[in-house]
């Protein structure tokens, strides 16, 4: 993924990428001495790079594409880096030469934030992929190029711990964490940023000097505002993250690494429930009842500390051309009554629909369920194009919205790659104040993701039209976007959607930044002004400097 935004939730069944730095750069890595500031990490050994790949190099074309093949940039250079010092030098070079810089970790951004034609230097962080325990901070260090699968495997094999991050093992940590990532364990353990202790960020001062700064959540840290901005502020806004440190907030006094993060489950019980699209049975009443049941269950079972908060469910509503739609339910198999909790939610979702669900359930080792590539990434598609849109939900969709969704799932303009996900959220996420981190939407119980996925460029217009029209009609009463209110609560920055900043699609009087950040936006702007006063790090939906 990139350091702009990425989901961590796939649009598929699992619902559901020179010489050593000189003394100038080395000096820039250390932050100026500030009373109370955390020490900068010791310089790391140079084990890779930097490597500059330019047009004409046989590697160039292979390094241009992220996960979404709708967007392919053509920078003057792709700089592949292997240390913080190399990142500092790359950013310094870009500033010195007046070149727009883009930053990519795994490449899973929904939009063109790293493929914008104005980007002349693309910084590739994929080789910065270490995951280790840092005894000096009593926290786990995760570099931005590490995939979530690598993070899960290393934390589990070494210490038996994990983080409540996303379900796609190939997504990079770089953008996922900074955007407030979530996943199958978030209802139980909160947002991943609730476990973020610190960050190392390469920033650019007002005079154009690039340097690395360490910021932590410690109350007396003078850089604490930079840490706060990285707890859901989204990537590509303040600098280049080169390290994350993870430690749960209730583990401040712990010295045993095995107690610094949540314990990983030993086994996962997963149920996959499927319904066939049958014109005689999957009527509007049947399908809207099923959707309403799913939403209502989450309204009533998403309190922090509830035994139901350990259960994670995704309703995957595929267009009727797909032939079927499904629900995936997961829970720690070792919890008391786990099987009964799963059976109960399946029964409640299907109640009153008149439909006969298929599928089954199984128990498997946790690491296999979470990191097997077939669970999180779709097949070997040479061309993968998609458009995603999102909305938070405080409660169930209205009856009118449910009817709209059904109509689009059954209309002839859609296809098997069109659909939406309704994803369980809430639980422990709701135990945190909206201003404690940059994640403002703390009182929500679900996330909705609207998507279309296709292969050929010639199908762009039809697929874009389908998902955009669905979204606009679902939120027709609030200007085509999920304006915060009784039902909706804005959108999620790791599912960036440039349409929210386009008056053709957002006809409300609510700006895009309110939809993503609500009342936290002015605070993010103040952080931007302090740490990126030259607006070096920017994209279509980046935090704006205060006027």
């Amino acid at each position: 993924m990139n350091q702009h935004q990425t989901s961590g939730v796939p649009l598929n069944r699992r619902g559901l990428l020179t010489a050593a730095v000189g003394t100038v750069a080395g000096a820039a890595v250390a932050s100026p001495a500030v009373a109370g500031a955390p020490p900068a990490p010791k310089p790391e050994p140079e084990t890779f790079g930097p490597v500059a790949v330019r047009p004409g190099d046989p590697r160039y074309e292979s390094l241009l594409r992220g996960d979404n093949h709708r967007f392919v940039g053509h920078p003057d250079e792709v700089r592949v880096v292997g240390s913080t010092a190399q990142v500092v030098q790359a950013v310094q070079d870009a500033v010195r030469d007046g070149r727009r810089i883009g930053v990519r970790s795994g490449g899973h951004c929904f939009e063109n934030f790293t493929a914008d034609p104005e980007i002349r230097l693309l910084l590739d962080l994929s080789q910065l992929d270490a995951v280790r325990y840092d005894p000096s901070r009593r926290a786990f260090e995760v570099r931005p190029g590490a995939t979530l699968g690598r993070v899960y495997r290393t934390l589990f094999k070494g210490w038996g711990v994990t983080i409540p991050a996303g379900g796609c093992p190939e997504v990079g940590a770089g953008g996922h964490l900074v955007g407030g990532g979530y996943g199958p364990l978030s209802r139980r353990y909160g947002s991943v940023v609730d476990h973020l202790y610190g960050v190392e960020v390469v920033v650019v001062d007002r005079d154009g000097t690039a340097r690395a700064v360490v910021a932590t959540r410690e109350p007396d840290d003078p850089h604490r505002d930079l840490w706060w901005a990285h707890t859901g502020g989204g990537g590509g806004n303040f600098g280049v993250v080169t390290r994350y440190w993870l430690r749960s907030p209730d583990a401040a006094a712990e010295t045993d690494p095995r107690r610094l993060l949540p314990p990983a489950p030993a086994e996962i019980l997963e149920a996959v429930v499927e319904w066939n699209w049958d014109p005689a049975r999957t009527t509007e009443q049947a399908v809207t009842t099923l959707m309403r049941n799913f939403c209502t269950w989450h309204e009533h079972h998403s309190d922090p500390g509830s035994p139901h908060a350990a259960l994670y469910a995704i309703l995957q509503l595929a267009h009727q051309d797909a032939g079927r739609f499904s629900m995936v339910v997961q829970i720690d198999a070792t919890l008391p009554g786990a099987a009964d909790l799963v059976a109960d939610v399946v029964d409640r979702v299907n109640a009153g629909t008149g439909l006969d669900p298929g599928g089954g359930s199984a128990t498997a080792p946790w690491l296999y369920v979470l990191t097997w590539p077939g669970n999180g990434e779709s097949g070997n598609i040479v061309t993968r194009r998609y458009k995603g849109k999102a909305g938070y939900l405080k409660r169930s969709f209205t009856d009118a919205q449910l009817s709209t969704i059904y109509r689009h799932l059954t209309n002839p303009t859609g296809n098997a790659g069109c659909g939406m996900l309704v994803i369980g959220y809430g639980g422990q996420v709701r135990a945190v104040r909206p201003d404690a981190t940059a994640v403002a939407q703390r009182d929500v119980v679900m996330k909705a993701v609207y998507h279309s996925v296709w292969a050929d460029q010639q199908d762009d217009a039809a697929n874009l039209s389908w998902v955009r029209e669905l979204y606009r009609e679902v939120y027709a009463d609030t200007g085509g976007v999920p304006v915060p209110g009784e039902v909706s609560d804005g959108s999620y920055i790791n599912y960036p959607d440039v349409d929210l900043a386009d008056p053709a699609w957002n006809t409300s009087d609510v700006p895009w930044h309110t939809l993503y950040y609500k009342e936290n936006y002015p605070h993010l702007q103040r952080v931007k002004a302090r740490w990126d006063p030259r607006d070096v790090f920017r994209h279509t939906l980046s935090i704006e400097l205060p006027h």
Side-chain angles (χ1 to χ4, degrees), residues 387-433:
K387 173 68 176 179
K389 305 168 79 69
Y392 283 106
L393 287 163
K394 294 179 179 178
R395 45 156 292 187
S396 175
F397 289 108
T398 67
D399 289 348
Q401 288 177 316
L402 293 172
S403 293
T404 295
I405 292 168
Y406 178 83
R407 177 161 44 83
H408 282 267
L409 291 175
T410 56
N411 68 16
T413 63
N415 59 68
C418 298
M420 65 178 290
L421 311 174
V422 187
I423 305 167
Y425 197 53
Q428 194 60 27
V429 172
R430 303 175 75 190
V432 178
R433 298 191 325 272

Side-chain angles (χ1 to χ4, degrees), residues 4-189:
H4 295 293
Q5 284 85 20
T6 189
S7 61
V9 175
L11 302 178
N12 58 26
R13 175 220 173 271
R14 286 298 306 166
L16 190 335
L17 287 140
T18 295
V21 177
T23 56
V24 173
V29 171
S31 303
V34 178
K42 295 178 181 179
E44 66 228 90
E46 300 284 346
T47 59
F48 180 91
V51 176
V53 179
R54 301 183 175 91
D57 189 306
R59 297 168 292 181
Y60 181 76
E61 291 293 330
S62 293
L63 296 181
L64 296 182
R65 289 168 175 78
D67 188 59
N68 192 348
H69 288 193
R70 285 177 59 208
F71 309 115
V72 182
H74 295 281
D76 301 329
E77 174 188 339
V78 180
R79 185 84 60 92
V80 188
V81 293
S83 71
T84 297
Q86 292 174 18
V87 174
V88 172
Q89 186 65 65
V91 172
Q92 193 68 74
D93 290 347
V95 172
R96 180 197 64 218
D97 298 339
R99 290 189 288 173
R100 174 89 171 266
I101 190 168
V103 187
R104 186 174 69 199
S105 301
H108 283 69
C109 188
F110 280 17
E111 297 287 4
N112 74 330
F113 296 165
T114 61
D116 189 299
E118 294 185 7
I119 291 174
R120 307 319 311 157
L121 190 155
L122 178 60
L123 193 57
D124 185 322
L125 305 180
S126 59
Q127 297 300 125
L128 267 175
D129 62 353
V131 180
R132 70 181 188 97
Y133 175 62
D134 182 349
S136 69
R137 299 188 191 277
R138 290 188 300 108
F140 292 95
E141 177 186 308
V142 173
R143 305 307 292 262
T147 63
L148 295 183
R150 179 179 175 87
V151 174
Y152 295 141
R153 286 188 292 270
T154 304
L155 293 179
F156 181 75
K157 292 177 181 179
W159 302 274
V161 298
T162 191
I163 53 175
C168 284
E170 293 305 311
V171 163
H176 180 73
L177 271 63
V178 70
Y182 76 102
L185 293 176
S186 288
R187 283 171 52 85
R188 187 178 182 186
Y189 294 130

Side-chain angles (χ1 to χ4, degrees), residues 92-369:
Q92 193 68 74
D93 290 347
V95 172
R96 180 197 64 218
D97 298 339
R99 290 189 288 173
R100 174 89 171 266
I101 190 168
V103 187
R104 186 174 69 199
S105 301
H108 283 69
C109 188
F110 280 17
E111 297 287 4
N112 74 330
F113 296 165
T114 61
D116 189 299
E118 294 185 7
I119 291 174
R120 307 319 311 157
L121 190 155
L122 178 60
L123 193 57
D124 185 322
L125 305 180
S126 59
Q127 297 300 125
L128 267 175
D129 62 353
V131 180
R132 70 181 188 97
Y133 175 62
D134 182 349
S136 69
R137 299 188 191 277
R138 290 188 300 108
F140 292 95
E141 177 186 308
V142 173
R143 305 307 292 262
T147 63
L148 295 183
R150 179 179 175 87
V151 174
Y152 295 141
R153 286 188 292 270
T154 304
L155 293 179
F156 181 75
K157 292 177 181 179
W159 302 274
V161 298
T162 191
I163 53 175
C168 284
E170 293 305 311
V171 163
H176 180 73
L177 271 63
V178 70
Y182 76 102
L185 293 176
S186 288
R187 283 171 52 85
R188 187 178 182 186
Y189 294 130
S191 168
V192 70
V193 298
D194 299 338
H195 303 268
L196 180 64
Y197 174 73
V199 288
E200 178 184 71
V201 189
V202 175
V203 299
V204 178
D205 293 335
R206 190 173 298 277
D207 66 359
T209 300
R211 61 188 177 100
V213 176
V214 172
T216 72
R217 66 173 176 235
E218 297 293 346
D220 61 348
D221 186 341
H223 303 155
R224 191 177 190 276
D225 63 335
L226 187 61
W227 163 82
W228 181 88
H230 286 80
T231 60
N237 283 310
F238 311 101
V240 183
V241 180
T242 48
R243 283 183 174 91
Y244 292 102
W245 286 278
L246 297 160
R247 186 215 299 162
S248 297
D250 59 356
E254 292 287 351
T255 57
D256 185 345
R258 294 171 297 178
R259 299 179 182 273
L260 297 179
L261 286 172
E267 293 182 315
I268 290 292
L269 171 60
E270 179 179 87
V272 179
V273 187
E274 295 184 337
W275 295 269
N276 291 325
W277 275 110
D278 178 354
R281 304 194 67 185
T282 47
T283 62
E284 179 174 341
Q285 180 178 358
V287 176
T288 57
T289 296
L290 188 148
M291 288 190 283
R292 187 183 299 107
N293 289 346
F294 182 91
C295 294
T296 301
W297 186 93
H298 283 86
E299 284 184 45
H300 297 156
H301 298 91
S302 297
D303 291 335
S306 164
H308 298 90
L311 188 147
Y312 177 69
I314 303 176
L315 183 61
Q316 302 177 119
L317 296 162
H319 189 273
Q320 67 177 3
D321 276 11
R324 62 178 60 89
F325 59 96
S326 62
M327 178 175 68
V328 176
V329 184
Q330 292 183 351
I331 194 170
D332 181 342
T334 66
L335 292 175
D340 291 339
L341 289 171
V342 171
D344 179 68
V345 71
V346 171
D347 289 344
R348 289 178 182 270
V349 169
N350 198 63
T353 65
L355 302 177
D356 297 322
S361 62
T363 299
W366 174 80
L367 193 64
Y368 178 84
V369 173

Side-chain angles (χ1 to χ4, degrees), residues 434-469:
D435 61 349
T437 67
V439 178
Q441 293 88 348
R442 288 289 183 168
D443 195 30
V444 297
V445 298
M446 291 169 288
K447 296 188 183 189
V449 185
Y450 310 79
H451 65 82
S452 188
V453 183
W454 65 100
D456 297 324
Q457 184 174 358
Q458 65 184 14
D459 297 325
D460 282 5
N463 282 276
L464 288 170
S465 176
W466 185 90
V467 68
R468 283 170 164 164
E469 292 297 339

